[in-house]
């Protein structure tokens, strides 16, 4: 019942903002008040366990990802960035003071958060990141660049992953994460224009030109790239659920169209060729649902292995593409 209530809250949100997001997609604009609205409805928690956050079961967190992505992929990405990446990074690795200052404002959507790992020359091989952090007295100084960072030019805070460059220090070469308010001098976030997809959220190119931060800006729980990987691993199930949402929207649109479009004296859905394609789509969609449900059950039991989450992500993203292709062909 609790999981269904969370799902229904997400469904009501999608119905509430649907027309606005259609316009945002057409205009390539980012309606920040709708991002705050997600926080007001307490939909950012993404299964994160923390005393200051409302706990969602893996199933509830997945249903939120699915439902919001069914409504709009840009909004699904907002949840993945604000909750899955930024909020989770702070909850897992932040100091008590950092969490007291920023955790609840992030969860409520009052402050936008971003996760800056990807660089212009390092995407999938982000372990090779070139952004560096060096000590200068009681301060840290960051230099480098990040790219395709959701919320990176939103006026909020950014969790910047950088490699320590201090040949005389024991942590030289270690990867650490820094909490950077976006108004900090030297931080420049520029919205990337001309996107073809996810047009209702802005991604940014970030330049870090000798950004000076106090010593306590570093998240004390981060010590290596494995910590970034821990956050990324936790998002795999969310991607599988999000793909299910996209595929559901495609199937529903194609089915509705086939029921209404009349050709040769009868609706398209009356033709066996169309029925076969709809059946193929439903077949794949049902398999995606079963992957997600089984994954949630395993995670609830504490038995979900990384390879299983990766397989669900692999299967569902590819199945969603096939469903979208068939839906587009039918329409």
């Amino acid at each position: 019942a609790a999981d269904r209530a969370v799902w229904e809250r997400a469904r009501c949100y999608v119905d509430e903002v649907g027309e606005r997001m259609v316009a945002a997609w057409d205009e390539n604009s980012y309606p920040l008040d709708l991002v705050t609205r997600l926080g007001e409805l307490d939909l950012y928690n993404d299964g994160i366990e923390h005393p200051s956050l409302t706990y969602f079961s893996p199933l509830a967190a997945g249903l939120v990802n699915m439902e919001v992505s069914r409504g709009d992929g840009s909004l699904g990405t907002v949840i993945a960035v604000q909750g899955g990446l930024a909020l989770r990074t702070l909850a897992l690795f932040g100091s008590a003071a950092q969490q007291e200052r920023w955790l609840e404002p992030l969860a409520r959507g009052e402050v936008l958060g971003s996760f800056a790992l990807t660089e212009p020359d390092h995407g999938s091989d982000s372990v090779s990141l070139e952004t560096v952090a060096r000590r200068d007295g009681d301060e840290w100084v960051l230099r480098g660049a990040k790219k395709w960072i959701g919320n990176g030019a939103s006026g909020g805070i950014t969790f910047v992953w950088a490699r320590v460059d201090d040949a005389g220090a024991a942590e030289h070469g270690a990867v650490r994460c820094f909490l950077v308010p976006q108004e900090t001098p030297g931080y420049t976030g520029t919205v990337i224009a001309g996107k073809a997809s996810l047009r209702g959220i802005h991604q940014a190119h970030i330049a870090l030109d000798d950004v000076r931060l106090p010593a306590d800006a570093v998240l004390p729980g981060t010590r290596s790239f494995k910590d970034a990987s821990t956050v990324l691993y936790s998002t795999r199930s969310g991607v599988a659920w999000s793909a299910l949402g996209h595929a559901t929207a495609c199937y529903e649109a194609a089915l509705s169209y086939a029921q209404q479009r009349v050709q040769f004296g009868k609706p398209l859905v009356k033709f066996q060729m169309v029925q076969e394609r709809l059946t193929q789509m439903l077949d794949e969609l049902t398999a995606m649902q079963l992957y997600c449900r089984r994954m949630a059950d395993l995670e609830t039991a504490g038995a979900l292995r990384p390879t299983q989450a990766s397989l669900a992500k692999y299967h569902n993203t590819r199945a969603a593409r096939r469903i979208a292709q068939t839906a587009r062909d039918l329409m």
Side-chain angles (χ1 to χ4, degrees):
D3 293 342
R4 184 174 291 276
V6 174
W7 183 12
E8 183 60 29
R9 199 155 74 240
R11 182 183 291 272
C12 289
Y13 171 78
V14 167
D15 292 341
E16 174 187 325
V17 306
E19 290 186 10
R20 288 276 308 280
M21 289 310 299
V22 170
W25 181 279
D26 290 342
E27 299 163 0
N28 190 21
S29 62
Y30 189 19
L32 296 183
D33 61 307
L34 301 189
V35 180
T36 301
R37 180 63 176 149
L38 277 167
E40 292 172 352
L41 294 171
D42 202 19
L43 292 174
Y44 279 130
N45 299 328
D46 201 42
I48 303 167
E49 296 188 55
H50 191 281
S52 298
L53 301 176
T54 304
Y55 176 67
F56 288 176
S57 72
L59 179 58
L63 289 169
V64 170
N65 270 298
M66 178 195 75
E67 192 61 40
V68 175
S69 295
R70 183 186 70 86
D72 183 84
S74 299
L75 290 174
T77 303
V78 169
I79 288 180
V81 172
Q82 180 82 7
L85 294 174
L87 188 62
R88 178 172 275 109
T89 296
L90 182 59
L92 289 178
F93 303 119
S95 67
Q98 289 168 338
Q99 292 182 9
E100 183 178 1
R101 170 67 180 86
W102 297 107
L103 199 69
E104 291 187 24
L106 281 174
R108 292 193 297 262
E110 296 169 357
V111 172
L112 298 191
S114 66
F115 180 90
L117 179 63
T118 301
E119 298 181 344
D121 295 325
H122 299 287
S124 298
D125 69 333
S126 52
V127 69
S128 302
L129 59 87
E130 296 179 13
T131 299
V132 296
R134 60 179 176 82
R135 287 274 197 177
D136 185 11
D138 293 333
E139 295 182 315
W140 287 98
V141 181
L142 302 187
R143 173 166 283 276
K146 302 292 184 179
K147 195 170 185 180
W148 296 113
I149 308 304
N151 285 342
S154 64
I157 61 175
T158 300
F159 295 96
V160 177
W161 294 84
R163 192 176 302 280
V164 177
D165 182 17
D166 188 349
E171 60 180 346
H172 175 65
V175 173
R176 308 207 68 183
C177 185
F178 299 82
L179 195 161
V180 184
Q182 292 179 11
E183 69 271 17
T184 305
Y187 180 104
T188 304
T190 304
V191 173
I192 297 172
K195 290 195 304 176
S197 63
L198 295 179
R199 291 169 53 83
I201 181 177
H202 288 162
Q203 276 85 24
H205 184 289
I206 297 172
L208 302 160
D209 297 317
D210 291 335
V211 175
R212 289 188 170 271
L213 302 169
D216 61 2
V218 68
L219 275 65
T222 58
R223 294 289 175 181
S224 73
F225 186 77
K226 289 182 179 179
D227 299 316
S229 297
T230 297
V231 178
L232 296 174
Y233 158 67
S234 299
T235 67
R236 292 176 188 167
S237 57
V239 173
W241 280 100
S242 185
L244 173 58
H246 289 305
T248 301
C250 290
Y251 173 73
E252 290 175 343
L255 176 61
S256 176
Y257 180 81
Q259 290 171 331
Q260 297 176 51
R261 174 71 168 171
V262 175
Q263 291 288 281
F264 303 103
K266 57 183 178 180
L268 288 177
V269 77
K270 296 295 185 179
F271 293 92
Q272 281 191 334
M273 181 180 294
V274 173
Q275 293 171 1
E276 180 184 15
R277 291 185 180 182
L278 289 169
T279 301
Q280 289 171 346
M281 295 164 71
L282 184 59
D283 169 38
E284 295 220 69
L285 192 65
T286 302
M288 294 172 71
Q289 293 170 337
L290 293 173
Y291 260 92
C292 283
R293 181 55 198 259
R294 178 58 176 159
M295 182 172 56
D297 289 344
L298 287 171
E299 190 170 354
T300 298
L304 181 65
R305 299 194 300 272
T307 50
Q308 292 171 316
S310 295
L311 182 62
K313 176 181 175 181
Y314 175 92
H315 174 272
N316 280 15
T317 53
R318 283 150 182 79
R321 291 177 188 173
R322 291 191 294 269
I323 290 172
Q325 182 180 28
T326 302
R328 183 175 59 185
D329 185 52
L330 277 177
M331 298 174 72

PDB file of all heavy atoms in Angstrom, residues 94-123:
ATOM      1  N   GLY A  94      29.022  12.715   2.634  1.00  0.00           N
ATOM      2  CA  GLY A  94      29.159  14.050   3.195  1.00  0.00           C
ATOM      3  C   GLY A  94      29.427  14.043   4.696  1.00  0.00           C
ATOM      4  O   GLY A  94      29.088  13.089   5.408  1.00  0.00           O
ATOM      5  N   SER A  95      30.020  15.118   5.179  1.00  0.00           N
ATOM      6  CA  SER A  95      30.240  15.278   6.617  1.00  0.00           C
ATOM      7  C   SER A  95      28.912  15.596   7.299  1.00  0.00           C
ATOM      8  O   SER A  95      27.914  15.935   6.642  1.00  0.00           O
ATOM      9  CB  SER A  95      31.226  16.411   6.873  1.00  0.00           C
ATOM     10  OG  SER A  95      30.652  17.662   6.502  1.00  0.00           O
ATOM     11  N   ALA A  96      28.889  15.511   8.627  1.00  0.00           N
ATOM     12  CA  ALA A  96      27.675  15.845   9.370  1.00  0.00           C
ATOM     13  C   ALA A  96      27.261  17.284   9.102  1.00  0.00           C
ATOM     14  O   ALA A  96      26.077  17.587   8.931  1.00  0.00           O
ATOM     15  CB  ALA A  96      27.906  15.605  10.861  1.00  0.00           C
ATOM     16  N   ALA A  97      28.240  18.192   9.056  1.00  0.00           N
ATOM     17  CA  ALA A  97      27.933  19.601   8.810  1.00  0.00           C
ATOM     18  C   ALA A  97      27.392  19.813   7.395  1.00  0.00           C
ATOM     19  O   ALA A  97      26.440  20.578   7.188  1.00  0.00           O
ATOM     20  CB  ALA A  97      29.182  20.451   9.026  1.00  0.00           C
ATOM     21  N   GLN A  98      27.994  19.152   6.407  1.00  0.00           N
ATOM     22  CA  GLN A  98      27.518  19.277   5.029  1.00  0.00           C
ATOM     23  C   GLN A  98      26.092  18.750   4.900  1.00  0.00           C
ATOM     24  O   GLN A  98      25.244  19.362   4.245  1.00  0.00           O
ATOM     25  CB  GLN A  98      28.450  18.510   4.085  1.00  0.00           C
ATOM     26  CG  GLN A  98      29.811  19.171   3.904  1.00  0.00           C
ATOM     27  CD  GLN A  98      30.800  18.251   3.205  1.00  0.00           C
ATOM     28  OE1 GLN A  98      30.648  17.024   3.205  1.00  0.00           O
ATOM     29  NE2 GLN A  98      31.825  18.844   2.597  1.00  0.00           N
ATOM     30  N   GLN A  99      25.826  17.628   5.526  1.00  0.00           N
ATOM     31  CA  GLN A  99      24.491  17.043   5.450  1.00  0.00           C
ATOM     32  C   GLN A  99      23.464  17.905   6.163  1.00  0.00           C
ATOM     33  O   GLN A  99      22.342  18.087   5.669  1.00  0.00           O
ATOM     34  CB  GLN A  99      24.514  15.627   6.034  1.00  0.00           C
ATOM     35  CG  GLN A  99      25.302  14.645   5.201  1.00  0.00           C
ATOM     36  CD  GLN A  99      25.273  13.234   5.752  1.00  0.00           C
ATOM     37  OE1 GLN A  99      24.524  12.928   6.672  1.00  0.00           O
ATOM     38  NE2 GLN A  99      26.104  12.364   5.199  1.00  0.00           N
ATOM     39  N   GLU A 100      23.832  18.457   7.302  1.00  0.00           N
ATOM     40  CA  GLU A 100      22.904  19.316   8.035  1.00  0.00           C
ATOM     41  C   GLU A 100      22.546  20.557   7.210  1.00  0.00           C
ATOM     42  O   GLU A 100      21.398  21.015   7.220  1.00  0.00           O
ATOM     43  CB  GLU A 100      23.519  19.728   9.366  1.00  0.00           C
ATOM     44  CG  GLU A 100      22.581  20.571  10.228  1.00  0.00           C
ATOM     45  CD  GLU A 100      23.181  20.941  11.571  1.00  0.00           C
ATOM     46  OE1 GLU A 100      24.349  20.563  11.834  1.00  0.00           O
ATOM     47  OE2 GLU A 100      22.494  21.603  12.363  1.00  0.00           O
ATOM     48  N   ARG A 101      23.516  21.073   6.479  1.00  0.00           N
ATOM     49  CA  ARG A 101      23.290  22.291   5.688  1.00  0.00           C
ATOM     50  C   ARG A 101      22.528  22.023   4.400  1.00  0.00           C
ATOM     51  O   ARG A 101      21.662  22.812   3.997  1.00  0.00           O
ATOM     52  CB  ARG A 101      24.644  22.950   5.368  1.00  0.00           C
ATOM     53  CG  ARG A 101      24.583  24.095   4.361  1.00  0.00           C
ATOM     54  CD  ARG A 101      23.846  25.291   4.924  1.00  0.00           C
ATOM     55  NE  ARG A 101      23.791  26.387   3.971  1.00  0.00           N
ATOM     56  CZ  ARG A 101      22.857  26.513   3.031  1.00  0.00           C
ATOM     57  NH1 ARG A 101      21.893  25.595   2.932  1.00  0.00           N
ATOM     58  NH2 ARG A 101      22.861  27.540   2.201  1.00  0.00           N
ATOM     59  N   TRP A 102      22.812  20.913   3.724  1.00  0.00           N
ATOM     60  CA  TRP A 102      22.349  20.764   2.357  1.00  0.00           C
ATOM     61  C   TRP A 102      21.390  19.594   2.092  1.00  0.00           C
ATOM     62  O   TRP A 102      20.668  19.616   1.084  1.00  0.00           O
ATOM     63  CB  TRP A 102      23.556  20.585   1.414  1.00  0.00           C
ATOM     64  CG  TRP A 102      24.477  21.739   1.371  1.00  0.00           C
ATOM     65  CD1 TRP A 102      25.727  21.825   1.924  1.00  0.00           C
ATOM     66  CD2 TRP A 102      24.239  23.010   0.742  1.00  0.00           C
ATOM     67  NE1 TRP A 102      26.289  23.053   1.683  1.00  0.00           N
ATOM     68  CE2 TRP A 102      25.399  23.807   0.953  1.00  0.00           C
ATOM     69  CE3 TRP A 102      23.180  23.553   0.017  1.00  0.00           C
ATOM     70  CZ2 TRP A 102      25.512  25.105   0.461  1.00  0.00           C
ATOM     71  CZ3 TRP A 102      23.287  24.839  -0.467  1.00  0.00           C
ATOM     72  CH2 TRP A 102      24.434  25.605  -0.246  1.00  0.00           C
ATOM     73  N   LEU A 103      21.347  18.592   2.970  1.00  0.00           N
ATOM     74  CA  LEU A 103      20.614  17.372   2.626  1.00  0.00           C
ATOM     75  C   LEU A 103      19.119  17.623   2.433  1.00  0.00           C
ATOM     76  O   LEU A 103      18.550  17.270   1.381  1.00  0.00           O
ATOM     77  CB  LEU A 103      20.841  16.307   3.711  1.00  0.00           C
ATOM     78  CG  LEU A 103      20.517  14.875   3.279  1.00  0.00           C
ATOM     79  CD1 LEU A 103      21.517  14.379   2.245  1.00  0.00           C
ATOM     80  CD2 LEU A 103      20.524  13.933   4.486  1.00  0.00           C
ATOM     81  N   GLU A 104      18.476  18.228   3.403  1.00  0.00           N
ATOM     82  CA  GLU A 104      17.037  18.438   3.283  1.00  0.00           C
ATOM     83  C   GLU A 104      16.680  19.452   2.187  1.00  0.00           C
ATOM     84  O   GLU A 104      15.705  19.246   1.457  1.00  0.00           O
ATOM     85  CB  GLU A 104      16.456  18.842   4.633  1.00  0.00           C
ATOM     86  CG  GLU A 104      16.487  17.689   5.639  1.00  0.00           C
ATOM     87  CD  GLU A 104      15.757  18.010   6.929  1.00  0.00           C
ATOM     88  OE1 GLU A 104      14.871  18.889   6.919  1.00  0.00           O
ATOM     89  OE2 GLU A 104      16.079  17.381   7.954  1.00  0.00           O
ATOM     90  N   PRO A 105      17.435  20.548   2.024  1.00  0.00           N
ATOM     91  CA  PRO A 105      17.136  21.439   0.887  1.00  0.00           C
ATOM     92  C   PRO A 105      17.234  20.743  -0.473  1.00  0.00           C
ATOM     93  O   PRO A 105      16.441  21.024  -1.378  1.00  0.00           O
ATOM     94  CB  PRO A 105      18.180  22.548   1.029  1.00  0.00           C
ATOM     95  CG  PRO A 105      18.465  22.601   2.492  1.00  0.00           C
ATOM     96  CD  PRO A 105      18.414  21.165   2.941  1.00  0.00           C
ATOM     97  N   LEU A 106      18.192  19.814  -0.624  1.00  0.00           N
ATOM     98  CA  LEU A 106      18.269  19.041  -1.867  1.00  0.00           C
ATOM     99  C   LEU A 106      17.052  18.135  -2.015  1.00  0.00           C
ATOM    100  O   LEU A 106      16.451  18.054  -3.088  1.00  0.00           O
ATOM    101  CB  LEU A 106      19.549  18.194  -1.890  1.00  0.00           C
ATOM    102  CG  LEU A 106      20.857  18.886  -2.251  1.00  0.00           C
ATOM    103  CD1 LEU A 106      22.028  17.918  -2.069  1.00  0.00           C
ATOM    104  CD2 LEU A 106      20.845  19.428  -3.671  1.00  0.00           C
ATOM    105  N   ALA A 107      16.684  17.446  -0.945  1.00  0.00           N
ATOM    106  CA  ALA A 107      15.554  16.526  -0.996  1.00  0.00           C
ATOM    107  C   ALA A 107      14.247  17.257  -1.289  1.00  0.00           C
ATOM    108  O   ALA A 107      13.352  16.719  -1.946  1.00  0.00           O
ATOM    109  CB  ALA A 107      15.440  15.757   0.315  1.00  0.00           C
ATOM    110  N   ARG A 108      14.127  18.498  -0.818  1.00  0.00           N
ATOM    111  CA  ARG A 108      12.908  19.283  -1.045  1.00  0.00           C
ATOM    112  C   ARG A 108      12.929  20.034  -2.371  1.00  0.00           C
ATOM    113  O   ARG A 108      11.951  20.701  -2.717  1.00  0.00           O
ATOM    114  CB  ARG A 108      12.717  20.268   0.106  1.00  0.00           C
ATOM    115  CG  ARG A 108      12.387  19.617   1.448  1.00  0.00           C
ATOM    116  CD  ARG A 108      11.891  20.659   2.456  1.00  0.00           C
ATOM    117  NE  ARG A 108      12.919  21.655   2.750  1.00  0.00           N
ATOM    118  CZ  ARG A 108      13.721  21.621   3.815  1.00  0.00           C
ATOM    119  NH1 ARG A 108      13.622  20.617   4.679  1.00  0.00           N
ATOM    120  NH2 ARG A 108      14.616  22.573   4.025  1.00  0.00           N
ATOM    121  N   GLY A 109      14.040  19.967  -3.088  1.00  0.00           N
ATOM    122  CA  GLY A 109      14.134  20.673  -4.363  1.00  0.00           C
ATOM    123  C   GLY A 109      14.320  22.161  -4.209  1.00  0.00           C
ATOM    124  O   GLY A 109      14.203  22.909  -5.180  1.00  0.00           O
ATOM    125  N   GLU A 110      14.623  22.619  -2.994  1.00  0.00           N
ATOM    126  CA  GLU A 110      14.840  24.045  -2.765  1.00  0.00           C
ATOM    127  C   GLU A 110      16.203  24.489  -3.290  1.00  0.00           C
ATOM    128  O   GLU A 110      16.401  25.653  -3.639  1.00  0.00           O
ATOM    129  CB  GLU A 110      14.736  24.345  -1.268  1.00  0.00           C
ATOM    130  CG  GLU A 110      13.359  24.074  -0.696  1.00  0.00           C
ATOM    131  CD  GLU A 110      13.328  24.111   0.821  1.00  0.00           C
ATOM    132  OE1 GLU A 110      14.406  24.295   1.446  1.00  0.00           O
ATOM    133  OE2 GLU A 110      12.233  23.956   1.385  1.00  0.00           O
ATOM    134  N   VAL A 111      17.150  23.557  -3.316  1.00  0.00           N
ATOM    135  CA  VAL A 111      18.471  23.779  -3.897  1.00  0.00           C
ATOM    136  C   VAL A 111      18.680  22.698  -4.943  1.00  0.00           C
ATOM    137  O   VAL A 111      18.425  21.518  -4.685  1.00  0.00           O
ATOM    138  CB  VAL A 111      19.581  23.696  -2.823  1.00  0.00           C
ATOM    139  CG1 VAL A 111      20.959  23.738  -3.474  1.00  0.00           C
ATOM    140  CG2 VAL A 111      19.431  24.822  -1.813  1.00  0.00           C
ATOM    141  N   LEU A 112      19.125  23.073  -6.135  1.00  0.00           N
ATOM    142  CA  LEU A 112      19.380  22.085  -7.177  1.00  0.00           C
ATOM    143  C   LEU A 112      20.802  21.563  -7.051  1.00  0.00           C
ATOM    144  O   LEU A 112      21.736  22.324  -6.767  1.00  0.00           O
ATOM    145  CB  LEU A 112      19.157  22.692  -8.559  1.00  0.00           C
ATOM    146  CG  LEU A 112      17.741  23.175  -8.855  1.00  0.00           C
ATOM    147  CD1 LEU A 112      17.589  23.495 -10.324  1.00  0.00           C
ATOM    148  CD2 LEU A 112      16.708  22.136  -8.439  1.00  0.00           C
ATOM    149  N   GLY A 113      20.948  20.262  -7.252  1.00  0.00           N
ATOM    150  CA  GLY A 113      22.254  19.636  -7.129  1.00  0.00           C
ATOM    151  C   GLY A 113      22.688  18.988  -8.425  1.00  0.00           C
ATOM    152  O   GLY A 113      21.867  18.517  -9.214  1.00  0.00           O
ATOM    153  N   SER A 114      24.003  18.969  -8.660  1.00  0.00           N
ATOM    154  CA  SER A 114      24.539  18.301  -9.846  1.00  0.00           C
ATOM    155  C   SER A 114      25.733  17.445  -9.458  1.00  0.00           C
ATOM    156  O   SER A 114      26.341  17.632  -8.396  1.00  0.00           O
ATOM    157  CB  SER A 114      24.933  19.314 -10.927  1.00  0.00           C
ATOM    158  OG  SER A 114      26.010  20.115 -10.497  1.00  0.00           O
ATOM    159  N   PHE A 115      26.056  16.513 -10.327  1.00  0.00           N
ATOM    160  CA  PHE A 115      27.096  15.513 -10.110  1.00  0.00           C
ATOM    161  C   PHE A 115      28.074  15.635 -11.274  1.00  0.00           C
ATOM    162  O   PHE A 115      27.766  15.241 -12.398  1.00  0.00           O
ATOM    163  CB  PHE A 115      26.439  14.125 -10.080  1.00  0.00           C
ATOM    164  CG  PHE A 115      27.350  12.955  -9.857  1.00  0.00           C
ATOM    165  CD1 PHE A 115      27.629  12.496  -8.579  1.00  0.00           C
ATOM    166  CD2 PHE A 115      27.900  12.270 -10.939  1.00  0.00           C
ATOM    167  CE1 PHE A 115      28.432  11.378  -8.375  1.00  0.00           C
ATOM    168  CE2 PHE A 115      28.708  11.157 -10.748  1.00  0.00           C
ATOM    169  CZ  PHE A 115      28.970  10.717  -9.459  1.00  0.00           C
ATOM    170  N   ALA A 116      29.230  16.237 -11.020  1.00  0.00           N
ATOM    171  CA  ALA A 116      30.163  16.573 -12.099  1.00  0.00           C
ATOM    172  C   ALA A 116      31.305  15.574 -12.144  1.00  0.00           C
ATOM    173  O   ALA A 116      32.300  15.709 -11.430  1.00  0.00           O
ATOM    174  CB  ALA A 116      30.693  17.993 -11.916  1.00  0.00           C
ATOM    175  N   LEU A 117      31.147  14.579 -13.011  1.00  0.00           N
ATOM    176  CA  LEU A 117      32.184  13.563 -13.198  1.00  0.00           C
ATOM    177  C   LEU A 117      32.675  13.553 -14.644  1.00  0.00           C
ATOM    178  O   LEU A 117      33.870  13.632 -14.908  1.00  0.00           O
ATOM    179  CB  LEU A 117      31.642  12.180 -12.818  1.00  0.00           C
ATOM    180  CG  LEU A 117      32.591  10.998 -12.988  1.00  0.00           C
ATOM    181  CD1 LEU A 117      33.804  11.135 -12.070  1.00  0.00           C
ATOM    182  CD2 LEU A 117      31.857   9.682 -12.697  1.00  0.00           C
ATOM    183  N   THR A 118      31.740  13.494 -15.602  1.00  0.00           N
ATOM    184  CA  THR A 118      32.084  13.425 -17.023  1.00  0.00           C
ATOM    185  C   THR A 118      32.841  14.678 -17.475  1.00  0.00           C
ATOM    186  O   THR A 118      32.485  15.799 -17.098  1.00  0.00           O
ATOM    187  CB  THR A 118      30.817  13.270 -17.870  1.00  0.00           C
ATOM    188  OG1 THR A 118      30.144  12.077 -17.469  1.00  0.00           O
ATOM    189  CG2 THR A 118      31.141  13.189 -19.344  1.00  0.00           C
ATOM    190  N   GLU A 119      33.859  14.472 -18.298  1.00  0.00           N
ATOM    191  CA  GLU A 119      34.676  15.575 -18.804  1.00  0.00           C
ATOM    192  C   GLU A 119      34.622  15.612 -20.328  1.00  0.00           C
ATOM    193  O   GLU A 119      34.173  14.646 -20.961  1.00  0.00           O
ATOM    194  CB  GLU A 119      36.119  15.411 -18.322  1.00  0.00           C
ATOM    195  CG  GLU A 119      36.239  15.449 -16.806  1.00  0.00           C
ATOM    196  CD  GLU A 119      37.669  15.321 -16.296  1.00  0.00           C
ATOM    197  OE1 GLU A 119      38.548  14.906 -17.090  1.00  0.00           O
ATOM    198  OE2 GLU A 119      37.898  15.631 -15.122  1.00  0.00           O
ATOM    199  N   PRO A 120      35.071  16.720 -20.940  1.00  0.00           N
ATOM    200  CA  PRO A 120      35.029  16.792 -22.403  1.00  0.00           C
ATOM    201  C   PRO A 120      35.724  15.621 -23.094  1.00  0.00           C
ATOM    202  O   PRO A 120      35.278  15.177 -24.156  1.00  0.00           O
ATOM    203  CB  PRO A 120      35.748  18.121 -22.697  1.00  0.00           C
ATOM    204  CG  PRO A 120      35.469  18.963 -21.497  1.00  0.00           C
ATOM    205  CD  PRO A 120      35.497  18.003 -20.336  1.00  0.00           C
ATOM    206  N   ASP A 121      36.803  15.110 -22.509  1.00  0.00           N
ATOM    207  CA  ASP A 121      37.549  14.015 -23.129  1.00  0.00           C
ATOM    208  C   ASP A 121      37.388  12.687 -22.410  1.00  0.00           C
ATOM    209  O   ASP A 121      38.046  11.708 -22.772  1.00  0.00           O
ATOM    210  CB  ASP A 121      39.041  14.376 -23.193  1.00  0.00           C
ATOM    211  CG  ASP A 121      39.311  15.560 -24.107  1.00  0.00           C
ATOM    212  OD1 ASP A 121      38.609  15.685 -25.127  1.00  0.00           O
ATOM    213  OD2 ASP A 121      40.210  16.355 -23.791  1.00  0.00           O
ATOM    214  N   HIS A 122      36.537  12.653 -21.380  1.00  0.00           N
ATOM    215  CA  HIS A 122      36.393  11.422 -20.610  1.00  0.00           C
ATOM    216  C   HIS A 122      34.935  11.217 -20.230  1.00  0.00           C
ATOM    217  O   HIS A 122      34.405  11.913 -19.371  1.00  0.00           O
ATOM    218  CB  HIS A 122      37.264  11.473 -19.344  1.00  0.00           C
ATOM    219  CG  HIS A 122      38.723  11.610 -19.635  1.00  0.00           C
ATOM    220  ND1 HIS A 122      39.474  10.567 -20.132  1.00  0.00           N
ATOM    221  CD2 HIS A 122      39.554  12.667 -19.552  1.00  0.00           C
ATOM    222  CE1 HIS A 122      40.721  10.986 -20.319  1.00  0.00           C
ATOM    223  NE2 HIS A 122      40.787  12.252 -19.978  1.00  0.00           N
ATOM    224  N   GLY A 123      34.291  10.273 -20.932  1.00  0.00           N
ATOM    225  CA  GLY A 123      32.912   9.929 -20.624  1.00  0.00           C
ATOM    226  C   GLY A 123      32.857   8.587 -19.935  1.00  0.00           C
ATOM    227  O   GLY A 123      32.938   8.491 -18.713  1.00  0.00           O
TER     228      GLY A 123
END
